[in-house]
Amino acid sequence: MSDPVGIIGVGQTPYRKRNSDKSAGELARTAILEALSDAGLEPDAIGAVIGGVAPDALSGIGDIDKAAIAMPGKPYIHVNTGGATGSSALLAAKTWIDAGRADVVLVVALERMGQAATAQSIFNTIFDPIYEKDFVLTTITMAALRATMLMNRDGFTGEHWAGIASRNFTQATRNPLVIGAKARSVADVLASPVLAWPIHLYEACPISEGACAVVVARGDIARSRNTAWIHGTGAFSDTYSMGDRMHRAEGSLIEMVPLRRAAQVAYRQAGVTDPLSQLDLLELQAPFAIIEAMAYPALGLCDIDANRSFVDKVITADAPIAINPSGGAQAANPVSATALVRIAEAALQVRGNAGDRQVSDARLALATGQGGATQFSTVCILGSDVP
Amino acid sequence: MNPDDLLILPGNWNFDYQYFAGETASRFFAELRDHQQILGRRCPSCERLLIPARSYCDACYVETGEWEQVGLSGTIEAFAIIQTQFPGLPEPPLAIGFVTLDGADSAILNFIRGIDLSDVDAAGERLFNEKRVSVEFSDNPQGRITDFHFVLD
């Protein structure tokens, strides 16, 4: 059996619309130095660096990692799975260590999207230019399309999306890294302008820049520290075109097939048979309320036909699990870094280091990552106990 | 440092491209332009008729088979009503929808036109209740996916 692997250090910059006081390299370095300090290691202890930035048009600098992430003299691997870049990089780091290539790997993800005058026209370029791109596809319209599909199937209403959004934004006020976090009521969300019906402005994640770094290690280095142990991981991909995912035996566009598969694999590794009772908290990479609602059945927290009643419980805080104590991706979504932020937050929780947003006695946490039009999904389960 | 003293440099990415659609999409668009037909290809493994036409089935990863024509009416699977101007993208309000054309096993995206979008909540409710649409062809076909759009039946 391979040596257990865990996260021994976490570093995050604040997440805000523009960090104009720092260059890209300075932003990444801030998170890296904090993660190394948290781990009690010097840069020479790092055996490899894995990171990524995607899409790089958001920063207007091609392969910005060369300037910002790759440390001179270290092996470097660039990962690009869109919004799942950070979690894919973490999974690659674990694999690198499991393969015996290094004992300590630094994972770092940077988002510099505050440099872009417009994010949505850049997101339009992630869609198929032959058949789909002409129809104003963006991350927002993609979420709106799925929202109407889910409303049609399960009877969700705009109040459900607003309820989830309100909860996330309000929880973010306890997270000092989300600069400008504001508690928002359901009425505030529903009164905000419609971007793409049924999605309102305050159901969409804001523009967020920032960097996140974690130090991953095995063996005595990990055993001698306060470590968030990796209990299970899963990562699956899906079809490019959304229209080709409508009538499939394994599940449609709103059934989050790759996320379901990733959860099943991770649960098996972690010995999780009843996620709702065994997991203490979730950090979901769901930039829109609708994406969060779709994740619950995919993660096995409820059956598909009980999805709406589970969402009702989440909104009234009656679900028996903590969800997005950081505020989640809805409150701050630094695209390239956001899936690593979910893992970093889960790590802080099971290490007991989460400050005002700490979930009491958090011992097992699950973090998700979603990239593209959910072509990429990851699940990572972290625990306080050595697996 | 005083925030007003921080240097912020202007920048711009503006590249031109030509996208190579491949033989299958090229024939799909030629049929659309020249014969006002919508054709797809069926996967020999899962037997789904893929519309728009694909040269291979992404799920089974096998080459698709013969060309087959689908009906020019269908059912809305998902829709959105764009209410805000995204820089560089078409002017709102616009309704878009993934539609499964009669006989097809995948959905094709296009604009849904001819709906009063002035009250967006009412328009949204209408699209939940009236899911049947038909294809309306452009008078000036260019061999592009925008050579047609949907209208409610």
Side-chain angles (χ1 to χ4, degrees):
Chain A
M1 191 185 148
S2 62
D3 215 6
V5 173
I7 292 170
I8 62 169
V10 172
Q12 301 188 76
T13 67
Y15 303 110
R16 55 162 67 94
K17 192 170 182 183
R18 286 149 64 102
N19 283 295
S20 49
D21 60 326
K22 288 188 171 63
S23 70
E26 290 162 356
L27 206 52
R29 185 169 177 269
T30 303
I32 291 168
L33 291 184
E34 187 180 307
L36 287 171
S37 164
D38 186 26
L41 293 176
E42 296 296 324
D44 59 11
I46 301 296
V49 181
I50 303 183
V53 178
D56 56 6
L58 287 173
S59 71
I61 301 172
D63 302 327
I64 191 175
D65 4 357
K66 286 184 293 209
I69 293 177
M71 294 168 91
K74 308 284 185 194
Y76 178 72
I77 297 173
H78 169 103
V79 175
N80 175 352
T81 51
T85 292
S87 55
S88 298
L90 188 284
L91 268 57
K94 181 177 186 298
T95 304
W96 191 265
I97 292 172
D98 285 344
R101 303 291 296 267
D103 294 325
V104 182
V105 172
L106 174 69
V107 182
V108 53
L110 167 73
E111 185 49 64
R112 188 89 264 209
M113 68 191 300
Q115 294 189 163
T118 162
Q120 289 301 316
S121 49
I122 292 167
F123 286 130
N124 180 244
T125 68
I126 74 173
F127 293 97
D128 172 21
I130 313 297
Y131 286 133
E132 294 190 340
K133 182 174 174 281
D134 286 297
F135 304 112
V136 207
L137 281 189
T138 67
T139 49
I140 293 168
T141 52
M142 169 187 73
L145 285 160
R146 287 179 143 151
T148 56
M149 235 182 134
L150 208 61
M151 291 160 93
N152 205 28
R153 188 190 70 185
D154 295 338
F156 284 107
T157 66
E159 277 75 15
H160 287 105
W161 314 141
I164 292 173
S166 162
R167 196 174 157 281
N168 284 325
F169 283 119
T170 304
Q171 293 190 142
T173 59
R174 290 197 297 274
N175 182 353
L177 297 170
V178 180
I179 306 301
K182 278 195 196 74
R184 290 189 175 119
S185 68
V186 168
D188 292 339
V189 176
L190 291 174
S192 66
V194 174
L195 299 175
W197 197 90
I199 307 286
H200 292 76
L201 175 65
Y202 289 164
E203 285 160 51
C205 59
I207 300 290
S208 314
E209 289 201 333
C212 179
V214 305
V215 181
V216 186
R218 68 168 168 190
D220 291 340
I221 298 169
R223 278 188 206 89
S224 62
R225 287 169 168 80
N226 179 11
T227 296
W229 296 97
I230 299 172
H231 284 240
T233 58
F236 284 84
S237 65
D238 207 349
T239 289
Y240 182 39
S241 157
M242 293 201 288
D244 283 357
R245 287 185 258 163
M246 290 291 183
H247 305 280
R248 299 187 302 186
E250 69 267 36
S252 78
L253 189 58
I254 51 174
E255 267 123 39
M256 308 280 265
V257 176
L259 185 67
R260 180 180 294 272
R261 288 177 176 154
Q264 285 167 349
V265 168
Y267 287 155
R268 204 153 50 234
Q269 292 168 9
V272 171
T273 52
D274 181 1
L276 209 49
S277 68
Q278 287 172 269
L279 296 170
D280 297 304
L281 72 113
L282 310 173
E283 275 288 338
L284 303 176
Q285 200 238 301
F288 298 89
I290 153 75
I291 307 290
E292 182 171 330
M294 286 193 300
Y296 299 144
L299 294 174
L301 306 180
C302 61
D303 291 333
I304 282 179
D305 39 10
N307 198 5
R308 198 179 70 182
S309 62
F310 189 83
V311 167
D312 286 332
K313 282 188 217 159
V314 169
I315 292 169
T316 53
D318 292 318
I321 190 165
I323 301 173
N324 295 338
S326 69
Q330 197 148 32
N333 190 39
V335 177
S336 309
T338 186
L340 188 61
V341 174
R342 309 281 69 82
I343 289 169
E345 286 290 329
L348 292 174
Q349 289 285 349
V350 299
R351 295 164 84 210
N353 290 343
D356 287 347
R357 58 195 187 283
Q358 179 70 48
V359 174
S360 64
D361 200 28
R363 304 196 63 78
L364 201 61
L366 179 148
T368 66
Q370 303 283 349
T374 62
Q375 278 95 5
F376 305 107
S377 295
T378 65
V379 165
C380 180
I381 299 173
L382 298 175
S384 311
D385 298 323
V386 183
Chain B
M1 188 182 278
N2 184 327
D4 293 337
D5 295 331
L6 291 167
L7 178 64
I8 298 175
L9 297 168
N12 173 259
W13 275 16
N14 183 10
F15 307 117
D16 292 325
Y17 296 94
Q18 38 189 356
Y19 295 113
F20 306 131
E23 292 179 0
T24 292
S26 297
R27 175 159 173 204
F28 173 88
F29 288 120
E31 295 284 354
L32 186 61
R33 181 191 60 217
D34 301 338
H35 303 111
Q36 300 203 324
Q37 290 182 348
I38 295 181
L39 274 71
R41 296 180 68 183
R42 193 177 295 278
C43 171
S45 175
C46 69
E47 298 186 345
R48 290 187 307 155
L49 178 59
L50 299 176
I51 299 282
R54 310 281 178 192
S55 64
Y56 64 96
C57 170
D58 195 276
C60 305
Y61 217 63
V62 297
E63 187 177 352
T64 47
E66 292 305 303
W67 289 82
E68 295 180 38
Q69 192 173 343
V70 288
L72 296 180
S73 295
T75 305
I76 298 173
E77 305 288 345
F79 68 89
I81 304 169
I82 295 125
Q83 287 285 101
T84 193
Q85 177 73 59
F86 300 114
L89 298 180
E91 190 180 334
L94 289 164
I96 57 171
F98 275 105
V99 168
T100 305
L101 290 169
D102 295 342
D105 297 298
S106 64
I108 187 165
L109 180 65
N110 217 305
F111 293 117
I112 306 170
R113 300 209 189 272
I115 310 164
D116 178 6
L117 300 176
S118 58
D119 178 342
V120 70
D121 290 321
E125 286 307 315
R126 186 173 175 201
L127 286 168
F128 279 130
N129 294 318
E130 298 177 37
K131 292 180 186 154
R132 291 291 297 174
V133 293
S134 289
V135 169
E136 198 170 82
F137 292 99
S138 158
D139 295 335
N140 180 25
Q142 307 289 316
R144 296 283 314 275
I145 194 71
T146 43
D147 283 358
F148 74 97
H149 57 259
F150 299 115
V151 290
L152 289 182
D153 282 352

